[in-house]
Amino acid sequence: MTFTHRFNPTILREYDIRGIVGDTLNAEDAYAIGRVFGTIIARAKGKTVAVGYDGRESSPDLVKALVKGITESGTSVKTIGLGPTPMLYYAVHELKADGGIMVTGSHNPPNYNGFKMMLGKRPFYGEMIKGLGRMAADGEVDDGKGSVESHDIFKRYIARLLRDYDGTALNVAWDPGNGAAGDAVTELVRHLPGRHIVINGEIDGSFPNHHPDPTVEENLEQLKAVVREEGMDFGLAFDGDGDRIGAVDSQGRIIWGDQILLILARHLLKELPDSTIIADVKASQVLFEGVEKAGGKPVMWRTGHSLIKEKMAETEAPLAGEMSGHIFFKHRFYGHDDALYAGLRFMQAIGDAGGSLDAIYDALPHYVNTPELRFSCSNDRKWKVIEEVRDRLAEQGADVVAVDGVRVNTADGWWLLRASNTQDVLVARAESMCEEGLTRLKASLKTELEKSSVTPPDDL
């Protein structure tokens, strides 16, 4: 049978494949992804792919089509059912699969869905995703008849998470946001010392209580209220597929992704001094200075979970993280982003430091900064803007870190401008030790945007 398929180009993204179900993404796409990915696995001398899915209403139909495509390429499938994305990552290791595909829309609205992939134990992203699209359009696939095996690894996954936790009893509120991590969180806390409350634990792809993105403050309001009303030590929140974490202390103050990473790094560096700790270019200077002060080697790298994983493999870093709440542990773990595992290590770090996240937060340096500012810019234009700004700054002799866009260091602090890898937007951020400095940094950034004929966002 002749096979060719053309994807809507908007769904082939840098780190995954993602689109609107019934509009830019459908079951035929899922079948094509399976057919091509199964071929890629087979040509790499692999035999099996692990497949899991999240709690969205569209996921079961997409999984069915995906599995059909994989098996008709001649590659076999090990299904693991419903759960968080990190459980799929774990399954690739535990089941000795040659690759993995997770059907998930992550933290996107309910009408979205998508696919996160692993080739071997490494992320499948960037040029590899583009290549998958070309193979589908060219009909470059194998024919065969693979088998399907069902594996119930849920209990093994929970046991693996718990294996590295020997902390003191803490009182913690947990909010999986009705996402795919709900069942795992509910089971996990049954085995932990202390008092634990789970809210929004029922997996519901319509996300009836709030959007499952812990980097947005309004999505943490319910968790803050529970922590305060129930007198909990702190709260943990997760995104729609359980690979990103957020936290609040007992007063409801948000602990952002780079602050979580710093707390984890300090704890790890006591055991592994002089280790490399990686953070993305959006992270606070407090993080990089704090890692160095704690005896580590901070490395600033490009934003994107796949890019961070590759840098970890290159540098053999035991820990890495992103401002967005992706936390990656290679130390005692597999090097992928598992927010539940990160939550347990966070609890361990807090317990070992005396049990008060409030005290840890109070002792951190606190700079003033903007939130992540995102504003529209066409795909062609956004990269050219970065080049123009970078060239002008070079002529000025500015202190610039250019690993991902431009991060400009001044006496006032720093500002960042980068192009998103997944959307037609520019991303900006600025941080200073004082409000006056932040005002000057924002003015400098605004000037650079205007020089490139870009309208600055209203909140800059």
Side-chain angles (χ1 to χ4, degrees):
M1 182 182 72
T2 303
F3 167 87
T4 59
H5 183 83
R6 292 191 180 276
F7 297 104
N8 184 308
T10 64
I11 74 172
L12 301 178
R13 307 200 176 189
E14 180 70 14
Y15 314 122
D16 54 27
I17 297 173
R18 199 179 303 177
I20 301 171
V21 177
D23 181 3
T24 60
L25 180 68
N26 54 45
E28 288 77 18
D29 295 311
Y31 172 82
I33 291 165
R35 194 73 189 276
V36 176
F37 192 77
T39 298
I40 291 170
I41 292 291
R43 293 180 184 178
K45 308 302 182 185
K47 296 180 179 179
T48 62
V49 176
V51 172
Y53 62 93
D54 71 8
R56 292 164 189 267
E57 293 180 4
S58 59
S59 291
D61 287 341
L62 293 178
V63 165
K64 184 177 179 181
L66 175 71
V67 170
K68 186 174 187 288
I70 296 171
T71 56
E72 289 185 3
S73 74
T75 298
S76 294
V77 175
K78 297 182 177 184
T79 61
I80 64 165
L82 171 62
T85 291
M87 189 170 84
L88 182 276
Y89 296 156
Y90 166 76
V92 171
H93 292 269
E94 178 70 8
L95 301 178
K96 296 180 172 57
D98 301 303
I101 301 182
M102 180 71 184
V103 177
T104 177
S106 187
H107 64 280
N108 285 94
N111 58 330
Y112 278 75
N113 217 322
F115 306 83
K116 293 183 178 179
M117 294 169 282
M118 292 173 70
L119 180 60
K121 308 299 187 293
R122 306 286 282 271
F124 185 89
Y125 71 104
E127 289 301 319
M128 290 181 276
I129 291 177
K130 292 178 183 177
L132 182 148
R134 289 191 294 269
M135 286 177 67
D138 294 341
E140 191 183 339
V141 297
D142 293 345
D143 293 308
K145 190 175 181 181
S147 63
V148 180
E149 296 177 354
S150 178
H151 293 261
D152 184 359
I153 66 162
F154 181 80
K155 290 182 179 179
R156 277 185 275 173
Y157 172 60
I158 298 300
R160 179 62 188 87
L161 294 176
L162 290 163
R163 193 171 85 190
D164 294 334
Y165 185 75
D166 62 357
T168 57
L170 293 169
N171 302 321
V172 183
W174 304 67
D175 183 6
N178 298 111
D183 291 350
V185 168
T186 300
E187 179 63 21
L188 184 69
V189 302
R190 291 182 56 246
H191 304 275
L192 293 174
R195 179 172 170 240
H196 298 272
I197 297 173
V198 178
I199 62 173
N200 306 322
E202 180 183 354
I203 298 176
D204 184 338
S206 69
F207 309 122
N209 294 292
H210 62 74
H211 193 61
D213 183 350
T215 65
V216 178
E217 186 162 4
E218 67 183 76
N219 298 331
L220 298 173
E221 292 304 320
Q222 192 180 0
L223 180 63
K224 289 180 185 180
V226 170
V227 167
R228 286 192 293 256
E229 291 165 8
E230 296 291 337
M232 309 305 280
D233 295 322
F234 55 91
L236 298 174
F238 306 92
D239 75 335
D241 68 330
D243 61 7
R244 293 193 297 129
I245 189 172
V248 299
D249 71 3
S250 71
Q251 300 175 50
R253 297 177 297 186
I254 297 174
I255 317 300
W256 297 108
D258 49 3
Q259 295 171 322
I260 293 172
L261 180 59
L262 178 55
I263 292 167
L264 292 169
R266 286 173 169 174
H267 186 252
L268 181 143
L269 287 166
K270 291 177 181 177
E271 182 178 342
L272 298 177
D274 206 36
S275 292
T276 296
I277 309 294
I278 301 170
D280 75 323
V281 72
K282 293 186 289 186
S284 170
Q285 194 63 27
V286 171
L287 177 279
F288 298 105
E289 293 171 353
V291 167
E292 193 166 16
K293 188 175 181 181
K297 297 176 181 176
V299 170
M300 185 184 297
W301 196 238
R302 298 169 63 192
T303 293
H305 65 91
S306 298
L307 302 172
I308 295 285
K309 289 171 188 171
E310 290 293 280
K311 191 65 173 177
M312 287 184 78
E314 175 193 326
T315 60
E316 298 184 343
L319 174 64
E322 292 186 272
M323 188 72 193
S324 61
H326 287 281
I327 302 291
F328 314 80
F329 270 99
K330 183 65 175 174
H331 179 241
R332 300 186 196 154
F333 208 56
Y334 306 97
H336 60 245
D337 37 345
D338 187 322
L340 279 67
Y341 184 78
L344 292 176
R345 294 290 292 260
F346 189 64
M347 289 172 59
Q348 185 85 45
I350 293 165
D352 290 353
S356 173
L357 177 56
D358 293 48
I360 294 171
Y361 179 84
D362 288 338
L364 289 174
H366 291 283
Y367 295 167
V368 291
N369 46 49
T370 67
E372 184 177 275
L373 306 172
R374 304 173 69 88
F375 44 102
S376 296
C377 190
S378 71
N379 191 55
D380 290 338
R381 183 68 185 131
K382 67 184 182 182
W383 301 109
K384 292 176 183 175
V385 169
I386 297 300
E387 289 179 13
E388 292 167 5
V389 172
R390 185 185 296 128
D391 290 346
R392 286 196 298 269
L393 293 169
E395 291 177 5
Q396 299 167 17
D399 179 2
V400 176
V401 177
V403 296
D404 186 0
V406 287
R407 177 162 163 152
V408 185
N409 299 307
T410 79
D412 287 318
W414 59 271
W415 60 262
L416 169 73
L417 182 68
R418 60 179 293 272
S420 169
N421 285 312
T422 58
Q423 295 175 294
D424 291 349
V425 299
L426 287 167
V427 181
R429 192 166 185 245
E431 178 182 75
S432 180
M433 282 72 77
C434 63
E435 290 290 351
E436 294 80 6
L438 185 63
T439 298
R440 288 190 289 269
L441 290 168
K442 289 163 65 175
S444 297
L445 173 53
K446 189 174 181 179
T447 296
E448 290 301 328
L449 290 172
E450 290 171 342
K451 285 180 181 177
S452 287
S453 301
V454 176
T455 302
D458 293 337
D459 44 0
L460 182 60

